[in-house]
Amino acid sequence: EIAQRIAQSIRKTLQSRQPRSFRFDDERFDSHAECILVAQGPDRALMIVRDISNTQERLAQLEDMAFKDSVTGLPNRQWLLDELENIVQRMHIRRGRGAVLCLEVGQLDVARNASATGSADEAYAQLATRMRGAIRGANQPQEDDDERYSAVARIAPDRFAVVLPNIETGDDAEGVAARLADVMQSPISVGKQEYKISLAVGIALYPQDGSTAVELLDNAGIALQDAKNSQTTHQKFHSGTVRMRALERQDLVVELEAALENDDFELRYLPIVATESRKTHTAEVLLRWPRPVFGARSIKEVINVAEYTGLILPIGEWVF
């Protein structure tokens, strides 16, 4: 296998007359090598092969030190910023939407002051394990499904961040934040002690809250401070998102009221057929709103607004 690759590279080197280099790994011998090819004539090439196993091992150690949190095993802030920038670029190309969540852990001072050495570290390690379990595919990119790839990192001693690159609406981000809160706020046992956890969450949405990794992470941090200062909730969107969501909801209410007045709704009947007789015995009634504005909104969003404002009642009467 290696010989075929070398022979192919030699041919390309002789054709282009340009030096080439490539690396090959052999897990059977736990070795890594670099091959350098330099054309020496029309049909001759100089090949230099060097073992870079030790270099690779040192680079891996340095990378761990530079980009990984030693306590939790999660990536750190610098890694997250680099990864988030790549995710933002992919979302921009696909016109996708995403979210960045900042989560801050409270009520762990007891663990820090406990007599057992490393009790706080153990608590944070448990929290990191919970986060990885709650976010599907966290830090595990897949070449065939990178839209669902999510990133989790520890960006400060008591702060984590989550990147969700496949979020359609703020409601979806809220759902993930609520799930994380449920998982992480369960009491943590360290040794013979049990500690209660409090959690505040700030949410920034792409693209309305930022078009770069730094903007999104900073705005999620601002929303986190709002959540920490709030007397009513420990989960907040960035203020720009909140204003936009309120305006969008108001516009949708106006559209729903106009649709009722103008009789713009339609019903579609989905027949349910018995396989033996092939006769329709019942039908499912589907409500349709054949206007361009509906195509830009999820049915979940429309129903939520209708229920929140009470418009679901006259819409239901219209259906009946």
Side-chain angles (χ1 to χ4, degrees):
E1 295 172 0
I2 294 174
Q4 290 176 358
R5 188 173 178 188
I6 292 176
Q8 185 179 18
S9 295
I10 289 175
R11 284 193 291 271
K12 291 181 178 179
T13 300
L14 294 176
Q15 290 171 359
S16 66
R17 316 305 298 173
Q18 297 294 324
R20 298 178 64 84
S21 67
F22 64 91
R23 287 163 33 183
F24 52 83
D25 306 323
D26 196 325
E27 296 180 356
R28 293 168 296 182
F29 303 105
D30 193 25
S31 64
H32 306 270
E34 181 183 39
C35 181
I36 303 171
L37 290 165
V38 182
Q40 296 287 288
D43 58 356
R44 184 174 300 183
L46 171 67
M47 183 170 72
I48 304 169
V49 182
R50 59 175 184 158
D51 187 347
I52 58 172
S53 301
N54 292 335
T55 304
Q56 288 293 102
E57 185 176 343
R58 288 196 295 271
L59 286 174
Q61 292 173 350
L62 289 172
E63 187 171 323
D64 280 348
M65 292 172 61
F67 297 111
K68 185 179 288 187
D69 175 56
S70 60
V71 172
T72 63
L74 291 176
N76 61 16
R77 179 186 176 87
Q78 185 56 53
W79 179 91
L80 183 80
L81 284 171
D82 293 343
E83 195 69 8
L84 178 55
E85 196 61 52
N86 294 330
I87 292 173
V88 165
Q89 290 176 9
R90 290 198 295 269
M91 289 192 296
H92 175 72
I93 293 172
R94 293 174 175 168
R95 298 180 181 273
R97 298 177 180 272
V100 176
L101 280 57
C102 266
L103 306 92
E104 186 166 302
V105 178
Q107 295 185 2
L108 262 179
D109 291 338
V110 173
R112 290 195 186 95
N113 298 328
S115 57
T117 304
S119 57
D121 290 348
E122 172 62 24
Y124 281 110
Q126 289 187 37
L127 287 174
T129 300
R130 291 180 181 183
M131 290 187 69
R132 278 192 292 255
I135 303 295
R136 184 170 72 89
N139 300 346
Q140 296 176 2
Q142 299 180 12
E143 293 182 2
D144 59 340
D145 194 17
D146 62 357
E147 289 186 13
R148 295 191 179 276
Y149 165 58
S150 53
V152 177
R154 188 187 187 192
I155 59 175
D158 56 356
R159 190 173 292 189
F160 297 89
V162 177
V163 179
L164 304 170
N166 195 34
I167 292 295
E168 291 296 331
T169 67
D171 292 334
D172 295 333
E174 282 182 309
V176 175
R179 185 170 77 243
L180 283 169
D182 289 341
V183 169
M184 295 180 68
Q185 289 184 140
S186 300
I188 286 182
S189 297
V190 180
K192 297 181 180 180
Q193 299 293 323
E194 187 174 86
Y195 305 111
K196 293 183 179 180
I197 302 296
S198 66
L199 193 72
V201 184
I203 305 172
L205 298 179
Y206 174 87
Q208 53 263 51
D209 292 331
S211 58
T212 68
V214 173
E215 288 176 350
L216 286 168
L217 193 57
D218 286 350
N219 286 336
I222 292 171
L224 174 63
Q225 293 300 321
D226 290 342
K228 290 168 61 179
N229 297 330
S230 174
Q231 300 297 319
T232 58
T233 179
H234 295 294
Q235 184 172 301
K236 285 282 191 178
F237 281 89
H238 182 251
S239 57
T241 300
V242 174
R243 287 194 296 271
M244 181 172 290
R245 282 162 59 86
L247 291 172
E248 288 179 347
R249 180 177 289 136
Q250 184 178 357
D251 290 342
L252 186 53
V253 169
V254 172
E255 290 285 349
L256 283 170
E257 291 174 341
L260 271 173
E261 292 177 3
N262 300 328
D263 205 26
D264 286 339
F265 290 116
E266 293 181 358
L267 298 181
R268 295 286 182 268
Y269 296 88
L270 182 67
I272 300 176
V273 181
T275 55
E276 293 182 357
S277 65
R278 303 205 174 183
K279 292 183 178 180
T280 299
H281 58 84
T282 52
E284 181 180 357
V285 184
L286 306 176
L287 178 65
R288 289 290 180 261
W289 183 9
R291 293 186 59 142
V293 68
F294 184 74
R297 301 177 186 275
S298 69
I299 184 64
K300 179 181 177 182
E301 181 184 2
V302 175
I303 295 300
N304 285 344
V305 171
E307 290 178 342
Y308 181 79
T309 60
L311 283 171
I312 195 69
L313 296 178
I315 290 176
E317 291 175 357
W318 183 92
V319 169
F320 283 117

